[in-house]
Structure formats: structure tokens, C-alpha cells
Amino acid sequence: MKIGVFDSGLGGLWVLKNIREMLPLYDYVFFADQAYVPYGNKTKEELFDRATKIFKHLYEIENCKIIVIACNTNSTSIFEELKLWVKENYPDRLIVGIVLPTILNIKSLIENNNIKDVVFFGTHRTVNSHVYKTELENLDSINVSEIEMSLLASLIEEGKPTLEYIKSFSELDKNKEYIGALVCTHYGIVREDFKKVFPSVKHWVYQEDILPNYLKSYLNENSNLTEVLSKDNSMKVIVSKESPVFNDFLYKWFGDDFKFSVCVL
């Protein structure tokens, strides 16, 4: 059985690249829902409909045991609903979200660096869910701010420059030190632009770094799961619609001869 990874597009592919570098032995199936990118402006009903269709395909057709949701919009908006749906329809299968490992990482940074200001950069739906902010509100004297960058994921998917767009947002207080979290997996692709624009962020949280470590720990703690996962060092990429920019990144990260398939759901 395989490990499934799911996102609207390049953000999840970027996460998968980093997962495979840390855990290369396993077999992966990545589904990029390019026909519905970006997810950040979709309703919860639309997100749930797309996710369940894709989960059904990954579980039944691709024989995935576990699905990693490499998407903040889904993880912050409908994760609990998806957990219940999986439990009811595929009780022997698993899903892993992105919120918990991110929060655990941020709490560790707060504790170890005595920083009281945290800023989240995300899509419209992720920011307006306030899930990350709520998770930190029970900590003493922590100031949380959220910056919505509703067009950034689309700019990345279209292969357009992002620096000027990121610059258009108000600068943080230069007299403070921040922990900055990129809570859209697309954003990590342009992490250097963020570092240029926000020098007062002293510690960055990149989910493409967090998820591989979290998944590694998760697998180590669940030996029964690792026993049923196949280990042929393979990777399959499925898209719901072809995109030249997605293809360019796919070939750049995994080789010019990498083959993908199109599946319309």
C-alpha cells in the first residue's frame, strides 16, 4: 500500500519533494487538483466535494493506506469533516493534516527563543478560519497577527514574479522580532522573497520542512503502518488538468523524463 499526498498543485508537489528526500524508500501517489486551483477562494462545500472524490480515487484505485493533506485550506477548513468521512467510509485508512505539526513547531520555537510575536501568511480561507491564531491564544503574552495574501498562490501557479506582490503588504514592526509561518504550502517555493521583505522575522516556519519530519515520526511510532506500506522507491503524479507551469516544476524537481497522468474527477 502507498502514501498519498494531496493538494491543488505546486505547494503539495514541493512538500512531496521534501518528503521523498527524507523518506525515499516508500511509494507515493500525488494528486494535484489543477482543474480547481487555487483552493483558497473555494467554499467549504466545494472543498469537501473535491477532497472526497480525490480521496476515493487514492484509496480505491491507487491503493493508498494514508493520505497526507499538503494543503492548509483543506486542513483548516474541513479537516474534521474529512476525518469523519474517512472513518465512516474507509475505516482502515488514515489521513494526516498540516495544522498540528505546524503548531507544534511554532510552540517549540516560542519556548526555545522567548519570542512573543507570531505572524501567519496565508490564503483567504486559511487566514479567515483563524485556526492557527486560535491554537496559540491559550499561550501567555503571545501576540498573533495574520496577513492574507489572496493572490500569491495563483501567481506561483502561473509562474509569475512574486516579490513586488509580497512587498505590497505592510511591513512588520522593525523593533520587534517575529516568528513567521508560511501557512500555504505554495509560499515556501518563494521563501527567499519573504526573507527579503520581512527582515524582522528571525525564525521562519516552512511546512515543506515540518511535514517530512512529522511524517517520519508518525511512521516510527506506528510500526503496524510501516509494515503494510510498500517500499519500492516509486512516485506517481496525477493531475486533474494539465498546466505548463506545473509541468516545468515537475521536470525541474524530478527530472525531464518524469511521466504523469491526467485524471478528470
Side-chain angles (χ1 to χ4, degrees):
M1 303 185 79
K2 302 170 185 176
I3 298 173
V5 180
F6 160 59
D7 184 34
S8 62
L10 287 174
L13 189 68
W14 177 236
V15 168
L16 176 58
K17 175 181 181 295
N18 286 270
I19 289 176
R20 288 192 77 233
E21 288 174 356
M22 179 169 287
L23 299 166
L25 294 181
Y26 295 99
D27 298 323
Y28 299 91
V29 181
F30 175 59
F31 198 108
D33 196 14
Q34 287 282 282
Y36 286 82
V37 69
Y39 275 172
N41 59 6
K42 301 296 188 292
T43 66
K44 292 180 69 172
E45 292 74 21
E46 289 173 318
L47 292 170
F48 186 80
D49 178 67
R50 292 305 299 167
T52 51
K53 286 179 179 176
I54 292 167
F55 278 26
K56 180 179 175 67
H57 180 86
L58 290 174
Y59 286 141
E60 295 185 9
I61 307 301
E62 303 298 338
N63 196 30
C64 291
K65 175 66 176 179
I66 182 172
I67 295 175
V68 178
I69 304 177
C71 172
N72 285 273
T73 299
N74 278 281
S75 290
T76 57
S77 299
I78 58 169
F79 184 70
E80 293 304 319
E81 291 90 335
L82 288 174
K83 277 180 61 178
L84 180 60
W85 183 86
V86 171
K87 183 178 180 180
E88 291 176 346
N89 292 277
Y90 301 93
D92 63 331
R93 308 300 172 97
L94 303 165
I95 62 170
V96 171
I98 204 167
V99 173
L100 177 60
T102 302
I103 289 297
L104 291 174
N105 184 269
I106 292 171
K107 287 182 176 179
S108 176
L109 286 172
I110 290 171
E111 182 178 347
N112 294 328
N113 296 281
N114 195 31
I115 293 179
K116 300 298 185 180
D117 293 278
V118 181
V119 56
F120 293 98
F121 304 88
T123 65
H124 169 76
R125 182 155 291 282
T126 295
V127 167
N128 285 277
S129 74
H130 304 299
V131 167
Y132 286 105
K133 184 176 182 179
T134 301
E135 288 288 341
L136 296 181
E137 282 182 341
N138 61 338
L139 300 180
D140 292 336
S141 304
I142 299 299
N143 304 310
V144 180
S145 54
E146 300 168 302
I147 297 179
E148 177 186 328
M149 295 182 165
S150 57
L151 300 179
L152 186 55
S154 293
L155 290 175
I156 295 169
E157 285 284 346
E158 294 165 8
K160 295 179 178 179
T162 59
L163 181 59
E164 293 305 315
Y165 177 75
I166 296 172
K167 281 182 178 179
S168 70
F169 293 86
S170 58
E171 291 191 17
L172 302 175
D173 189 339
K174 293 182 179 179
N175 296 316
K176 293 182 178 181
E177 292 188 353
Y178 293 84
I179 294 169
L182 304 184
V183 290
C184 171
T185 52
H186 285 71
Y187 294 3
I189 299 171
V190 294
R191 57 203 275 180
E192 294 304 316
D193 286 352
F194 277 91
K195 290 164 70 174
K196 291 175 184 176
V197 176
F198 299 103
S200 54
V201 174
K202 302 306 179 184
H203 299 276
W204 284 100
V205 176
Y206 304 121
Q207 293 177 319
E208 65 270 21
D209 297 338
I210 294 170
L211 262 180
N213 283 291
Y214 182 79
L215 183 59
K216 181 179 181 180
S217 297
Y218 187 89
L219 294 175
N220 287 340
E221 293 168 4
N222 294 272
S223 57
N224 291 339
L225 175 59
T226 58
E227 289 174 3
V228 301
L229 291 174
S230 55
K231 303 173 182 66
D232 292 321
N233 190 24
S234 71
M235 185 181 84
K236 181 177 182 179
V237 172
I238 306 166
V239 298
S240 56
K241 179 183 177 182
E242 285 199 56
S243 162
V245 175
F246 182 90
N247 294 353
D248 288 344
F249 276 98
L250 180 66
Y251 300 144
K252 175 183 176 181
W253 292 336
F254 299 103
D256 293 338
D257 58 346
F258 193 92
K259 300 292 190 296
F260 64 91
S261 59
V262 178
C263 177
V264 180
L265 295 176

